[in-house]
Amino acid sequence: MEILGYIAAMLIGLSLGLIGGGGSILTVPVLVYLIGLSPVISTAYSLFIVGLTSLVGSYKFYQKGLVSLKTAVVFGLPSIVAVYITRRYLVPAIPENLFTVGDFVVTKGVLLMLLFAGLMVFASISMIRKKKEVPADPSEPVDENIDTELDVENTDPAERHPKPKFNYGGILAEGLIVGTLTGLVGAGGGFLIIPALVLFSKLDMKMAVGTSLLIIAVKSLFGFIGDIYNYEIDWMFLSIFSVISIAGIFIGTFLSTKIHADKLKTSFGWFVLVMGIYIIIKEIFFA
């Protein structure tokens, strides 16, 4: 099972490299069910793994000018505060046994896994759902001889992506919510951050994805700092698992030029949905 866990670490990074996200949602289930760690320590380790892999992934977007540093700071600060407080104080304060329903005891571990499974279900829906393409203006002439991709790459990022306009109230609220959620379940929450960046910061989708990865990286790593004070960390295991996952990112990035990412994202979404339902059934009926 442990060997399968390390193989899964490669797949987590592979997913991030191929479709720009999604893989981190599997980190906690892999650590719990394949490696055999407790749910609480798994959410802690997941923050480090997700943070490190997202940091590597965000660098690719930064090189292309697809990261808004100002937006990352504005959105990231409340999120960092929330995730740190959640990991440092809130999670340790949750009692081991919460309540009993008949013969079923809801423990801290069960609660965290059920929260995580719920997150997986919502994340899977965002991956499965088809994005509506904005139709082109028929009144504008289109030069079919122009290589659009090449033109984008050679255009100044400032011209391609207008400066963000901030809805500070919305960003503050969303940052606090996402940070708390990340602290509880150890996942990045990119499927929540990206729509928030588009809605509250008026970023286009590509810029939102790159900025989201940087936000996920910073807040996850800061959240993990809160765990260092509460748990004994197996740095050797954590380093090996993270290195394997990062190697998967580079392989996935290379393969992404040869494989259609949209179809993969939909298939992966269905896989995540099945996994989320499996965790809910397992934790409720077979815990």
Side-chain angles (χ1 to χ4, degrees):
M1 295 296 284
E2 191 171 342
I3 293 173
L4 287 175
Y6 286 116
I7 294 173
M10 176 69 72
L11 296 178
I12 289 168
L14 198 64
S15 167
L16 185 61
L18 277 171
I19 62 178
S24 62
I25 201 73
L26 295 178
T27 306
V28 169
V30 166
L31 294 175
V32 172
Y33 298 123
L34 296 182
I35 302 298
L37 301 177
S38 72
V40 176
I41 198 67
S42 294
T43 57
Y45 283 12
S46 177
L47 286 174
F48 181 85
I49 296 163
V50 169
L52 206 57
T53 52
S54 297
L55 188 63
V56 173
S58 68
Y59 181 67
K60 176 180 66 174
F61 285 85
Y62 179 76
Q63 286 180 310
K64 296 179 180 179
L66 295 175
V67 174
S68 171
L69 295 178
K70 183 177 180 180
T71 304
V73 171
V74 172
F75 190 99
L77 283 177
S79 187
I80 288 169
V81 172
V83 72
Y84 179 82
I85 291 175
T86 301
R87 295 305 304 186
R88 182 74 172 88
Y89 301 107
L90 180 58
V91 172
I94 299 175
E96 288 300 323
N97 294 320
L98 295 167
F99 57 88
T100 303
V101 180
D103 296 330
F104 179 63
V105 180
V106 178
T107 64
K108 179 195 288 191
V110 169
L111 174 67
L112 292 179
M113 291 309 297
L114 289 177
L115 282 173
F116 194 87
L119 181 71
M120 291 180 75
V121 171
F122 280 108
S124 68
I125 292 171
S126 72
M127 286 187 273
I128 294 168
R129 189 173 52 199
K130 299 290 185 183
K131 291 184 175 64
K132 294 181 180 179
E133 297 293 334
V134 179
D137 186 349
S139 64
E140 293 184 5
V142 177
D143 187 350
E144 296 181 354
N145 296 318
I146 294 178
D147 185 339
T148 305
E149 186 67 27
L150 183 62
D151 184 61
V152 169
E153 292 294 331
N154 293 329
T155 304
D156 182 61
E159 296 178 10
R160 284 184 275 131
H161 306 280
K163 291 182 179 180
K165 299 177 181 179
F166 298 113
N167 177 339
Y168 288 99
I171 289 175
L172 177 62
E174 185 80 11
L176 291 173
I177 292 170
V178 172
T180 303
L181 185 63
T182 297
L184 285 171
V185 302
F191 77 103
L192 290 173
I193 297 175
I194 292 172
L197 294 180
V198 173
L199 179 64
F200 298 126
S201 300
K202 307 302 180 186
L203 297 182
D204 64 46
M205 187 57 68
K206 286 186 177 180
M207 184 73 83
V209 170
T211 306
S212 170
L213 281 173
L214 181 59
I215 293 169
I216 290 170
V218 175
K219 71 183 177 66
S220 297
L221 292 172
F222 266 91
F224 179 72
I225 292 174
D227 286 311
I228 294 175
Y229 297 98
N230 298 322
Y231 310 108
E232 185 176 344
I233 307 299
D234 185 347
W235 289 104
M236 180 60 70
F237 164 77
L238 202 52
S239 300
I240 293 172
F241 197 97
S242 299
V243 167
I244 294 173
S245 183
I246 290 171
I249 291 179
F250 290 107
I251 296 172
T253 302
F254 172 75
L255 293 177
S256 65
T257 60
K258 307 177 184 300
I259 301 175
H260 199 284
D262 288 340
K263 292 181 179 178
L264 278 175
K265 190 171 186 178
T266 302
S267 300
F268 187 75
W270 282 109
F271 175 70
V272 171
L273 177 61
V274 171
M275 283 295 298
I277 294 172
Y278 166 78
I279 292 172
I280 292 172
I281 293 173
K282 185 179 187 305
E283 293 298 327
I284 292 177
F285 298 104
F286 302 99

